Amino acid sequence: MSSSPSSARWPSCAGWRSPPIPSTRRNSSVDSATCTTARKLWPIGMEAAITKKDCIITAYRDHCTFLGRGGTLLQVFSELMGRKDGCSKGKGGSMHFYKKDANFYGGHGIVGAQVPLGCGLAFAQKYSKDETVTFALYGDGAANQGQLFEALNISALWDLPAILVCENNHYGMGTAEWRAAKSPSYYKRGDYVPGLKVDGMDALAVKQACKFAKEHALKNGPIILEMDTYRYHGHSMSDPGSTYRTRDEISGVRQERDPIERVRKLILSHDLATEKELKDIEKEIRKEVDEAIAQAKESPMPDPSELFTNVYAKGYGAEKGEEGGAPGGEKGQRLQMNLCHGDITAPDCKEWLGPWGNH
Ligand SMILES: Cc1ncc(C[n+]2csc(CCOP(=O)(O)OP(=O)(O)O)c2C)c(N)n1
Ligand SMILES: [Mg+2]
């Protein structure tokens, strides 16, 4: 098997069973990390069909998507721990992974909100005629929202190269899809927009579907892909995930549909590697993961001045400094000091916060 840096990224993803939240939680911005196990492989199939010039935007199950875009394990774990070396400098946490240089636009915590943004990205792509597409990912719970249909309508009207991907893990928090959707055939929900149902646990099927969808979107406008996947764990760290479904259901999917196991069997049956080679790779990856966690723990917390970078506070000097450095301008520095010390009654803060400063 190849050991090039890009192919080495995929096993990293496969070896990552779940984020190490409990031991790092105390100093972390994470209080509701959403795991990505089971759906971890399908973004890899998607990456195999597209280029980094294509855009991806997703919800909060963003960790493996970020790795697929070329992010590093250190950036992942540092972000989960709220550390400076995180991909969003520790300011975003679990739900806000970004990698703009690889056209990955997050990482969004508000259910469904990323879909209209994704269609906006597709609008920019069509406008600049660069022959690229946007994959806008959302969950089965989000699929029932009005904004999705609004975004789809305008995308179809303007033939935007938007691929709406419904990641159907069959649950929205503790609600099963059949309790939330009159028709859980999400690929058919587009009405005037075509859709495909894809086995999201089969990376090769995903690759084919994404390749087809990209070609379709460039020629004809939007298309919906429903990725049939599963959520092994609860919705987030605070949900045991076993009160609204049976343990048999979960273990049944693990035994029959596990995406990593499927690839493992394929590799073995085609003599692409031996059991021992695969075990060695897994061992190597576990070591890689452990080292990244240890390194992330050493990463410092973000400097308080970072509170004032990458935010919209125009005209107050707060954004004038170098990125990552102290904000420039006397007024900005005074404002920073007052806010850092919690004095929101100070004149600068009142001016900046407007009506909110009164609370
Ligand atoms: C607008 C909005 N409403 C409610 C929530 C709370 N919430 C967070 S995740 C979630 C479930 C979403 O389910 P789904 O779209 O299926 O995504 P999944 O978690 O299964 O990936 C809800 C209701 C939210 N974050 N945003
Ligand atoms: Mg869901």
Side-chain angles (χ1 to χ4, degrees), residues 89 303 305-306 309 321-326:
K89 298 183 190 168
D303 191 87
S305 65
E306 282 290 346
T309 58
E322 292 288 311
E323 217 190 345

PDB file of all heavy atoms in Angstrom, residues 89 303 305-306 309 321-326:
ATOM      1  N   LYS A  89      -7.891  27.975  15.619  1.00  0.00           N
ATOM      2  CA  LYS A  89      -7.108  28.572  16.710  1.00  0.00           C
ATOM      3  C   LYS A  89      -7.725  28.322  18.087  1.00  0.00           C
ATOM      4  O   LYS A  89      -7.622  29.137  18.991  1.00  0.00           O
ATOM      5  CB  LYS A  89      -6.952  30.078  16.497  1.00  0.00           C
ATOM      6  CG  LYS A  89      -6.217  30.433  15.229  1.00  0.00           C
ATOM      7  CD  LYS A  89      -6.068  31.926  15.174  1.00  0.00           C
ATOM      8  CE  LYS A  89      -5.569  32.384  13.835  1.00  0.00           C
ATOM      9  NZ  LYS A  89      -5.685  33.817  13.664  1.00  0.00           N
ATOM     10  N   ASP A 303      -4.317  33.237  23.109  1.00  0.00           N
ATOM     11  CA  ASP A 303      -4.073  34.491  23.801  1.00  0.00           C
ATOM     12  C   ASP A 303      -5.394  35.279  23.893  1.00  0.00           C
ATOM     13  O   ASP A 303      -6.178  35.249  22.944  1.00  0.00           O
ATOM     14  CB  ASP A 303      -3.053  35.291  22.984  1.00  0.00           C
ATOM     15  CG  ASP A 303      -2.544  36.473  23.765  1.00  0.00           C
ATOM     16  OD1 ASP A 303      -1.568  36.302  24.512  1.00  0.00           O
ATOM     17  OD2 ASP A 303      -3.158  37.564  23.644  1.00  0.00           O
ATOM     18  N   SER A 305      -5.967  38.194  23.344  1.00  0.00           N
ATOM     19  CA  SER A 305      -6.122  39.135  22.223  1.00  0.00           C
ATOM     20  C   SER A 305      -6.860  38.480  21.052  1.00  0.00           C
ATOM     21  O   SER A 305      -7.432  39.164  20.205  1.00  0.00           O
ATOM     22  CB  SER A 305      -4.753  39.641  21.759  1.00  0.00           C
ATOM     23  OG  SER A 305      -4.008  38.560  21.232  1.00  0.00           O
ATOM     24  N   GLU A 306      -6.854  37.147  21.027  1.00  0.00           N
ATOM     25  CA  GLU A 306      -7.541  36.428  19.941  1.00  0.00           C
ATOM     26  C   GLU A 306      -9.054  36.635  19.975  1.00  0.00           C
ATOM     27  O   GLU A 306      -9.742  36.361  19.002  1.00  0.00           O
ATOM     28  CB  GLU A 306      -7.228  34.932  20.002  1.00  0.00           C
ATOM     29  CG  GLU A 306      -5.875  34.575  19.447  1.00  0.00           C
ATOM     30  CD  GLU A 306      -5.787  34.736  17.932  1.00  0.00           C
ATOM     31  OE1 GLU A 306      -6.828  34.862  17.278  1.00  0.00           O
ATOM     32  OE2 GLU A 306      -4.663  34.767  17.416  1.00  0.00           O
ATOM     33  N   THR A 309      -9.824  38.911  17.079  1.00  0.00           N
ATOM     34  CA  THR A 309      -9.488  38.636  15.681  1.00  0.00           C
ATOM     35  C   THR A 309     -10.600  37.771  15.091  1.00  0.00           C
ATOM     36  O   THR A 309     -11.285  37.035  15.806  1.00  0.00           O
ATOM     37  CB  THR A 309      -8.149  37.877  15.555  1.00  0.00           C
ATOM     38  OG1 THR A 309      -8.234  36.666  16.292  1.00  0.00           O
ATOM     39  CG2 THR A 309      -6.998  38.708  16.066  1.00  0.00           C
ATOM     40  N   GLY A 321      -4.606  45.016  14.323  1.00  0.00           N
ATOM     41  CA  GLY A 321      -3.298  44.393  14.542  1.00  0.00           C
ATOM     42  C   GLY A 321      -3.027  43.270  13.556  1.00  0.00           C
ATOM     43  O   GLY A 321      -3.890  42.869  12.792  1.00  0.00           O
ATOM     44  N   GLU A 322      -1.812  42.750  13.597  1.00  0.00           N
ATOM     45  CA  GLU A 322      -1.475  41.589  12.781  1.00  0.00           C
ATOM     46  C   GLU A 322      -2.348  40.422  13.228  1.00  0.00           C
ATOM     47  O   GLU A 322      -2.705  40.334  14.403  1.00  0.00           O
ATOM     48  CB  GLU A 322      -0.014  41.191  13.025  1.00  0.00           C
ATOM     49  CG  GLU A 322       1.004  42.183  12.517  1.00  0.00           C
ATOM     50  CD  GLU A 322       1.080  42.187  11.007  1.00  0.00           C
ATOM     51  OE1 GLU A 322       1.187  41.085  10.431  1.00  0.00           O
ATOM     52  OE2 GLU A 322       1.018  43.285  10.427  1.00  0.00           O
ATOM     53  N   GLU A 323      -2.629  39.513  12.332  1.00  0.00           N
ATOM     54  CA  GLU A 323      -3.432  38.366  12.727  1.00  0.00           C
ATOM     55  C   GLU A 323      -2.697  37.587  13.819  1.00  0.00           C
ATOM     56  O   GLU A 323      -1.519  37.275  13.693  1.00  0.00           O
ATOM     57  CB  GLU A 323      -3.677  37.464  11.529  1.00  0.00           C
ATOM     58  CG  GLU A 323      -5.072  36.878  11.596  1.00  0.00           C
ATOM     59  CD  GLU A 323      -5.285  35.798  10.580  1.00  0.00           C
ATOM     60  OE1 GLU A 323      -4.478  35.699   9.648  1.00  0.00           O
ATOM     61  OE2 GLU A 323      -6.240  35.068  10.751  1.00  0.00           O
ATOM     62  N   GLY A 324      -3.376  37.319  14.881  1.00  0.00           N
ATOM     63  CA  GLY A 324      -2.766  36.568  15.978  1.00  0.00           C
ATOM     64  C   GLY A 324      -2.043  37.476  16.963  1.00  0.00           C
ATOM     65  O   GLY A 324      -1.704  37.080  18.054  1.00  0.00           O
ATOM     66  N   GLY A 325      -1.793  38.724  16.594  1.00  0.00           N
ATOM     67  CA  GLY A 325      -1.109  39.648  17.494  1.00  0.00           C
ATOM     68  C   GLY A 325      -2.120  40.489  18.254  1.00  0.00           C
ATOM     69  O   GLY A 325      -3.323  40.308  18.123  1.00  0.00           O
ATOM     70  N   ALA A 326      -1.603  41.436  19.045  1.00  0.00           N
ATOM     71  CA  ALA A 326      -2.499  42.276  19.821  1.00  0.00           C
ATOM     72  C   ALA A 326      -3.238  43.232  18.893  1.00  0.00           C
ATOM     73  O   ALA A 326      -2.677  43.733  17.927  1.00  0.00           O
ATOM     74  CB  ALA A 326      -1.691  43.078  20.834  1.00  0.00           C
TER      75      ALA A 326
END
